[in-house]
Structures are given as structure tokens and as C-alpha cells.
Amino acid sequence: MLIRALQDAGVEYIFGYPGGAALHIYDAIFRQQKVEHILVRHEQAATHMADGYARSTGKPGVVLVTSGPGATNAITGIATAFMDSVPMVVISGQVAHELIGTDAFQETDMVGVSRPVVKHSFMVKDCAEIPEVVRKAFHIATTGRPGPVVIDVPKNTTDPDVTAPYVYPESVTMRSYNPAVKGNGRQIRKAANVMLNARRPIIYAGGGVILGDGSEQLTRIARKLDFPVTNTLMGLGCYPGNDDQFLGMLGMHGTYEANMAMHEADVIIAVGARFDDRVTNDPTKFCPGSTIIHIDVDPASISKIVSADIPIVGQVASVLEDLEAILDAELARAPGLPDREALSRWWAQIRSWRAEHGLNHELKPEPGKPILPQLAVQTLYRVTEGNAFVSSDVGQHQMFAAQYYRFHEPRRWINSGGLGTMGFGLPAAMGVQFAHPDATVACVTGEGSFMMNMQELSTCLQYGLPIKIINLNNQALGMVKQWQDMQYGGRHSQSTYSDSLPDFKTLVEAFGHVGIKVERAEDLEDAMREAFSEKLRRRTVFVDVWVDPHEHVYPMAIKGGSMRDMYLNKALTSLGDTAVLSEDA
Ligand SMILES: Cc1ncc(C[n+]2csc(CCOP(=O)(O)OP(=O)(O)O)c2C)c(N)n1
Ligand SMILES: [Mg+2]
């Protein structure tokens, strides 16, 4: 019943790991061909693989784990998907009904344990309801603001001796669940009017634009109006990363020009973004003079942190289409809008910010000097011609990847933004590779994060996944160390371990893969070219890049400040008022 329902839901892959309570299900998997099960080495990795699959395709990822430790091992991955609104269905085995509540072997209250980190959960009561529960789970996971759904399946409900008629419902309705699709026409009209009269506008686009398939509409609107665009960490790729109108990422490690432009804007068009604390800095000091338009499918996200002047609840793609139609009509009627002169002054201001303190995308290797992690990411970008799917882990390397790999398309940048889960990168890249077998998939990781799920190298061998792992090895928990440098007087409490690191080259060779170690800046390009060469096209390759351990990620927001308050490098702090402010100044 369960596996057939997964087939009917169009599932290609189940990422999972077997155990007692799930054995009836595993037997059913054995006796069919349609759904392929991927055997992982740790349940956390199964959730991240399903997650990478989902983020890169838009289709829900599916996980199967046993009860007790199998289920609890999956929690971090479920929470990761929840924080980033990733559609996922997690099926957990459970002890039989008559054992529930008896502290039975491998009994954990999975519905209870997962409750705060799921969009919804089900406990199967009898086998007849399984197809409907599966149908509902996929519906909830993929509609509205997507998210993970748990189906807890007591062993007796999958007992092959118990039978029931199989009925897979064509559609499901739930009285209490009706996510919005279309935005309110009056609100959209108001937004269009404000946009057309903006003098210092900025589009602040987040992961919701990718999840809601609104990138094309957003790009068209931005180009039509000549508005600058900034992306959140989750939104990278929803607007072409090398476009002149793109200001880069905003927020804690956002670019100088994006953060300054946010602060000085008169109109902010927030789309599929949620004013996360990593973006706003102190919300009471957030962008004081701006009118905020906020488009989001989730009404609970609107005015939660920063209050919106024009809230619009609806699916991003649908709202943007309606907005574009109104803008087109208005532009035809009043071709003088928006005020091009004001806009060109605004652009001149932005360009001068960019020229002053923008990121340098043209770094060159300096022989004899330590390898800059930024250069390693730029080399990856060049060698893959900007066409790779790139996953990352969490830390400095993640921020360098976000800043220096420029994403031209949605669903190419795969990282744990909301929960910040170390150990995400490798399994997420594997999920991407399953979904896109012929694509170039790179994982930018740090040695700390990599060691959290490196057992999956064994899964890479089993399924022949040709992932290229770029390890920015700074011999430290770099991001922790950076905070200790900046806020704790340089006391590196528990953030370094250089004497006990493994030799990653031999480590990955033991797993049957190719290892390359790079210690000199002048060897970086060749090593990267080799990793992505035709010769190694079918191999899992690990490039261990020994980068400068003293490097920090900049810009960095100054805690408690506004968006224009940033550290720009080890010597230079920008406290907003040193910059030229408005066009009238
Ligand atoms: C599971 C988990 N534990 C702890 C943290 C806190 N944390 C954030 S970044 C970081 C250091 C990561 O080190 P590494 O992977 O080597 O990346 P680097 O910052 O050195 O590039 C830590 C410990 C986390 N994000 N996730
Ligand atoms: Mg590190």
C-alpha cells in the first residue's frame, strides 16, 4: 500500500536506511522496480540527500527510516528542510500499535519529537488509509509555503497479512488548509503605483522566489524598470549573478553596495524573503526611510519582524505576473515613469559604493603567498564556467561560495541557510547528482563540516556519484574562530585542531575515490582543472585546498547596528554616516 502510493505520487528515489519497524516496507521495496531506494550510511544524510534533490528540482524529496534512532537521526535534516521551506516527505517506521507507550524496543514518539520542525505530521491508524495519507502528505509538503511532512507508520499497519482495498485519491481537500494562490488585486495595484514613483528602489528577493518559480517574472520586472536587485543567501540564482543590475547578496556578509542601497532605499520590494535577522541586523534601525512592499505566500511571514506597508499574500509567480501586467499597462499610459533621472542618480550612487568597497571578482594567485579561499571559489567558478550546481556546508567557506560563485539560474545554489547545518554539503550534493546525473555538481566545504557526514563517501562509491568536493581547509572551525577574533579577544576556545586532522587525500582514497592536495596558490588552477577533467568525469574527487587560516569573511554586519554598519576588512569599519547618503546630499 505504501510503496504503491509512493509510485502513484511519482516518486523516483527514496533515500533511506532499514531497521526492524520498517522491514515490511523494505520487503515491499525489494519486490518492485519503479521506485529506487538509495541506501545511505546515516539517516541524517538521507534527509539532506532528499533535500538536495528537492531544492534542485522543485520536486519533493522522500526519506524512509526506521523507528527510534533511525527517526531521531533524521531530525536535523527535517529541521534543516523546515527552516528553508523545502518540500519533503519523511516516512518513519514505528513500533506496532499495541506497543506504543510501553517503552518498547526502538520506540520514540516521532510525531512528538518532530512536531516543532515539521509542516505537518501523520500517524497511520490502519492500512486502508495509507494511500490517502500519502496523497495528503505530498499535497501539504509541496503547496503554499513548502516544508517537510512526517508519516509515522506503525509496523502492524504494513503487515503483509493485513489487506485492504487500494484507493489512491485523485485529489485531496482539507478544510483547514487552503494556501493562497492569487494576490489581492488592489494591493498589487498599490504596489505597482509605489514602484513607478520610486526614486531609490531596490528589489530584495529571497528563497521564496526560487521555491515559487518566480525567477523569470522577477527578472523581467527588474529589467523593465531598471531596478537594482539584491538576493538573500537563499535567493541566490533567482536573478542572474553576473548581471549589471545585480548587487550581490545582502545581510550579515552581504556586499557593501547591497547593504548601503537597502539602507538608503525609498522603496523596498521584498519578494519571497522573510526579513531574517541575518539580513536586517537590528530591525528597529532597519531601512528607516523606505516604503516596504512584501510579497510572500506565507501570511505568517508578513510583518513578523519588519512591518510591511503593502503586504501581498500569494504565490510569488502568480503575484509577479499580475504585477507585471499592471506595470505594463501603466508604463504604456505614463511612459515618463519611473523617474529616469532619479534612477540614474541612484545608479551612480550604487556604482560608486561598488567601486569603493565592492568584492573583487578578479583575484590573481600570488606565488609564495597562502591561498586565499576567495580565489579558490573564483577558480571553481571559472573552471566550471558558472554552470555547476554548488552545495555548501556552513562556515566561512559557505559565505565565500555565496559571495564569489555567481549563480545565473535558480536551484543551482544548495545550502542550509536557516538552520545552518554543518554536514549538509556532501549529502545534499549527492541528492542533486541523483536528480541530475549528467550535471557538474560541486560541494564547497570546510574540513570541519565535511567530517560531520563523510561516511557518505561510501554511498558515493556504491552509486558512482561523480561529485567534486572542494575542501577549503583552514585547519579550523573558521567561522567560530573569526567571531572569537572579533569579539572574544582572539581567544580560540575549541576552534582549532590542526594537529589531529586526517590526511584527506589518503582518507578519500581509502573510500575508493580520487584525492588531490593543493598547498600553493600557483597550483590551484591546474588542480581544479584536473578535478573537472574528462579523465575524472565519472569519479568522486576531493580537492583539499589548504587556504590561508587567517582570512576573515567581509563585509560583516556590526551587531546591533543598521544595515549600513559593517566591518569592511580587518582595519576598516564603515559606520554608515561616512558614506554619501541620499541623492539630495
Ligand atoms: C551542526 C553544527 N554544529 C555547530 C555549528 C556552529 N558552526 C558554525 S560554522 C562552524 C565552523 C565550521 O567549520 P568548517 O566546516 O571547517 O568551515 P570554515 O568556517 O572553517 O570554513 C561551526 C562550528 C553549526 N553551524 N552546525
Ligand atoms: Mg575550516
Side-chain angles (χ1 to χ4, degrees), residues 197-212:
N197 288 292
R199 301 168 70 78
R200 299 185 310 280
I202 185 164
I203 297 176
Y204 148 45
V209 178
I210 294 174
L211 291 161

Side-chain angles (χ1 to χ4, degrees), residues 394-397 420-422 446-450 452 472 474 476-480 497:
V394 175
Q396 292 182 318
H397 63 274
T421 307
M422 289 171 69
E447 77 303 316
S449 296
F450 179 72
M452 284 209 174
L472 303 187
N474 52 11
L477 301 174
M479 189 56 98
V480 170
Y497 42 37

